[in-house]
Amino acid sequence: MFTYTLRRLAFSVPLLIAISLVIFLLIDLAPNDPTASLPLTIPDEVRDQIRTGLGLDAPTHVRYLLWCKQFFVNEPLNLLDGLIGRDGDRMRLLSWSTHAPVADLIVQRLPQTLWVVGLSLVIGLLIALPVGILSARRPYGWVDQLGTFAAMIGFSVPSFFLGVLLILLFSVHLGWLPSIYDTTLRVTDWHSFTLQLRQMVMPVTVLALFNAAQFSRYLRASMLDTMHRDFIRTARAKGMSEPRVLLGHALRHAMGPVITVLALTIPQVFAGAIVTEQVFRVNGLGQLLISAIHGGDVPLVQTLTFLFAVLIVAFNMLADIAHGLLDPRLRYD
């Protein structure tokens, strides 16, 4: 497993470099002018000076190499300087719209997205585990039928439609929950804690419903396949209790595909959170990406898009490793 992990890491480096080049070229070749949002009264020579100051007069390969140096070299070194308490004077990757370092903007917005995405994954798993196990224990029973119905709703209803529906029901008509996420709220006492929970209910519910629907269906299918294996019949023949057979033997074997799906779903949840953050005005990474696209902030768009690609590559590798650890029959080395 260790040798396999090293091989995957070595293969991921040129893969990520190729992905960064493709992302840079796609965004750079797109019809985008960072001076388009400036007032029309600004003379053309001033616009040309602004474009020159942003480095747009340089060739494409020079701008790509500069972005690579700033992202892969300068930013990690500046982070290291901050950890050891030393001031770094390296040129950082700056946002065109705010003139702030891109890494600082991402760090500021990341906690909001992690709260929403992380809780939705946890709640989705907590719902999917009992539903998937009970559905496989009694196929086509009332629990299985109810879980199938809820899963179909979670799969078929778009997140933006479900979000608007929840806002109309719980914010407009009932007035129980806030429709806009207040990112300036700081939890200092019990009252602010309850406000934080109330504003997180709807965005977390939208993402958790999709996660629970997906995980429960995979777990049900994997459990049904496992329940007919020889080692399950052997465990029952030895007189083991049904809960021990289900949780101690069948669940561990069935969790391999589910862990793989979970690892591959996490980048999708981050992408789906972009829509959810727009609906509920969560000031996270999704909102940051949308505002950067509207403002023509190419460095910020390139960096965020590349980070999403890094998540996909990293969690694909983690899915393979986790599957190998859970299933003793697999040998990668």
Side-chain angles (χ1 to χ4, degrees):
M1 182 63 70
F2 181 72
T3 305
Y4 171 77
T5 304
L6 291 180
R7 287 202 308 265
R8 287 295 299 268
L9 287 174
F11 176 74
S12 299
V13 173
L15 177 62
L16 289 175
I17 293 176
I19 291 174
S20 68
L21 177 60
V22 172
I23 291 175
F24 184 89
L25 292 177
L26 287 176
I27 298 177
D28 186 72
L29 297 176
N32 180 44
D33 186 4
T35 63
S37 59
L38 297 177
L40 298 177
T41 56
I42 295 180
D44 293 337
E45 57 271 15
V46 176
R47 293 177 182 270
D48 294 337
Q49 293 176 2
I50 294 175
R51 293 175 60 86
T52 302
L54 296 175
L56 295 177
D57 58 336
T60 302
H61 68 280
V62 174
R63 285 184 279 118
Y64 171 70
L65 294 177
L66 179 61
W67 178 81
C68 288
K69 178 183 177 182
Q70 293 173 334
F71 183 81
F72 293 108
V73 179
N74 291 359
E75 290 297 336
L77 291 178
N78 278 297
L79 177 61
L80 181 61
D81 290 339
L83 292 177
I84 64 178
R86 185 177 62 186
D87 294 333
D89 55 353
R90 301 173 186 86
M91 184 174 60
R92 304 191 62 181
L93 186 62
L94 300 180
S95 167
W96 286 354
S97 57
T98 63
H99 302 289
V102 170
D104 294 348
L105 294 176
I106 295 175
V107 170
Q108 292 173 4
R109 303 291 187 94
L110 185 59
Q112 306 296 339
T113 300
L114 288 181
W115 270 110
V116 176
V117 172
L119 278 179
S120 67
L121 287 172
V122 172
I123 295 175
L125 277 176
L126 292 178
I127 296 173
L129 284 176
V131 172
I133 294 173
L134 294 176
S135 298
R137 178 68 182 86
R138 298 185 182 276
Y140 307 107
W142 69 270
V143 176
D144 190 18
Q145 298 289 349
L146 185 61
T148 302
F149 176 74
M152 292 302 102
I153 294 178
F155 276 124
S156 58
V157 178
S159 59
F160 63 88
F161 177 79
L162 182 59
V164 173
L165 188 64
L166 292 180
I167 290 175
L168 291 176
L169 178 60
F170 294 103
S171 297
V172 177
H173 294 290
L174 298 178
W176 292 352
L177 301 172
S179 61
I180 298 178
Y181 193 98
D182 183 12
T183 55
T184 62
L185 178 65
R186 295 293 179 267
V187 178
T188 57
D189 51 15
W190 178 254
H191 178 66
S192 59
F193 178 71
T194 56
L195 291 178
Q196 178 69 16
L197 289 180
R198 289 179 62 227
Q199 71 176 0
M200 292 181 65
V201 168
M202 290 193 291
V204 170
T205 300
V206 170
L207 294 175
L209 181 59
F210 175 78
N211 295 332
Q214 187 175 17
F215 298 152
S216 64
R217 292 295 91 188
Y218 276 102
L219 182 58
R220 176 187 180 275
S222 184
M223 286 286 292
L224 284 176
D225 179 69
T226 305
M227 295 297 291
H228 300 288
R229 298 294 181 90
D230 292 338
F231 70 92
I232 297 296
R233 287 192 290 266
T234 303
R236 285 173 174 166
K238 289 182 178 180
M240 290 185 181
S241 61
E242 193 65 18
R244 186 177 178 183
V245 171
L246 287 175
L247 302 179
H249 291 75
L251 181 60
R252 183 193 174 190
H253 187 275
M255 280 300 292
V258 178
I259 294 297
T260 302
V261 172
L262 172 62
L264 298 179
T265 302
I266 292 177
Q268 298 178 11
V269 174
F270 272 92
I274 296 176
V275 179
T276 305
E277 288 180 3
Q278 284 293 105
V279 174
F280 296 100
R281 297 295 186 268
V282 180
N283 201 16
L285 293 181
Q287 182 72 21
L288 182 64
L289 178 60
I290 296 299
S291 61
I293 293 174
H294 289 168
D297 196 341
V298 173
L300 188 54
V301 175
Q302 289 170 344
T303 303
L304 285 172
T305 308
F306 179 70
L307 289 179
F308 284 128
V310 170
L311 286 177
I312 295 174
V313 173
F315 280 101
N316 268 276
M317 183 179 66
L318 291 177
D320 291 340
I321 295 174
H323 200 182
L325 293 175
L326 289 173
D327 194 342
R329 298 171 302 175
L330 296 179
R331 291 293 182 267
Y332 292 129
D333 295 336

